[in-house]
Amino acid sequence: MKELNAKKTYSRFGLTYSIGQLVYTVLVVILSLVLKKVNPEIFSSMAANILITYAVLVLITYPGMYLAIRNLEKTEIPKKSMGIGMLIACFPIAYTLGALSNLVGTIINIRIGAATGKGAVNPILDVMTGVPPVVMFLVAVVLAPICEELTFRKFLVDRTVRFGEKTAVLMSGLVFGLYHGNFSQFVYAFVLGAFFAYVYLRTGKIIYTILMHMFVNGISTVLAQVVMQGLDIEEMTGYIYGGDMEAYMNYCTEHAAAIAAVGLIGFFIILFLIAGVVLIAVNAKKVKFAAVPGELEKGNIFKNVIINVGMIVFILYCLANIVTAQLGLERSLVRFITSLISG
């Protein structure tokens, strides 16, 4: 009976997230066509583009996903306070886990890019380039952490922990990573997703993971963009590679304040990473998963959690998105869908 319940539950999540992503894509295309009819210039601004598309996520997609899974049986996770010391320690741990896993993902991404001849693909970097810091802050630091922690942590873990704590944590990370739809974000999203799921599982308080998620996104997106706004890295490297050291020195002199800010922040980030590595090493042995009544036996986990209609559809759908992004085909697909809708 528990195997059947697990299969049905994970299948519901897989189908819900697949349909949610598909509906989101179609709605964005339709909305884009309608708004372009009203104001052809509305999407000339990347900021407007992001705000409009993210409004679909926040107002329609995520609420729709919740409505689709809310009646599944859930477990009330006991609420426990972390304590201020452990909460503070989790910030460098989360950032370090994200940075190290992102490094691994970047290396693999570069190798895949070399094999395909398309180079390393980073869709999120392309989207965020040129977006005002205020818009990026609203989307990446406020809305995304709140919506994603509720959708991929609380809603999912509450309803799957009864089949095993470790399984719930790993599946939260896997679903979160795959849902991003590109390999550039998959590795670090998987690692951070699993870490956040574990923190939520041990505390029962989603606010902790929301704050950590906000912090990581804030450092990796908004702060990086604000700091680099005053510098043109392409121009600087052009002087170096071209051997024009006089022009390079003149550029550095003219932008001394911005360069100093980058160096100072870089110094503190290095210290932060060192602290994170130490804290991970010290606390690694404390990570333990308790047995829960009715959890799946080891030999039955994969065939019930992964081998079901919903999860198979979800995994195949996400893998298709990752492949198309890696091969640079996603823009062609969007144009094709747009042509079908517009007739």
Side-chain angles (χ1 to χ4, degrees), residues 196-218:
F196 292 153
Y198 183 79
V199 171
Y200 171 64
L201 183 63
R202 287 289 162 262
T203 64
K205 296 183 178 181
I206 200 65
I207 185 62
Y208 288 147
T209 65
I210 289 175
L211 291 175
M212 293 173 203
H213 199 149
M214 286 180 169
F215 177 79
V216 172
N217 280 13

Side-chain angles (χ1 to χ4, degrees), residues 169 195 198 202 280 282-289:
V169 166
F195 173 67
Y198 183 79
R202 287 289 162 262
I280 291 171
V282 170
N283 290 282
K285 292 183 178 180
K286 297 179 182 178
V287 177
K288 295 180 180 179
F289 296 96

Side-chain angles (χ1 to χ4, degrees), residues 237-302:
T237 54
Y239 292 142
I240 295 174
Y241 294 148
D244 192 348
M245 296 309 297
E246 182 178 354
Y248 173 74
M249 293 305 297
N250 289 336
Y251 184 91
C252 291
T253 301
E254 293 172 3
H255 300 82
I259 292 174
V262 171
L264 183 62
I265 292 175
F267 173 74
F268 281 109
I269 286 179
I270 290 173
L271 292 180
F272 208 67
L273 289 171
I274 293 173
V277 170
V278 172
L279 288 167
I280 291 171
V282 170
N283 290 282
K285 292 183 178 180
K286 297 179 182 178
V287 177
K288 295 180 180 179
F289 296 96
V292 296
E295 71 178 277
L296 298 172
E297 291 80 11
K298 283 187 177 181
N300 293 327
I301 293 175
F302 184 80

Side-chain angles (χ1 to χ4, degrees), residues 98-111:
L100 294 179
S101 56
N102 184 49
L103 178 61
V104 173
T106 299
I107 293 172
I108 299 174
N109 192 15
I110 290 172
R111 290 183 177 274

Side-chain angles (χ1 to χ4, degrees), residues 297-314:
E297 291 80 11
K298 283 187 177 181
N300 293 327
I301 293 175
F302 184 80
K303 68 180 182 181
N304 290 295
V305 172
I306 300 295
I307 306 302
N308 56 71
V309 174
M311 286 307 302
I312 290 174
V313 169
F314 174 74

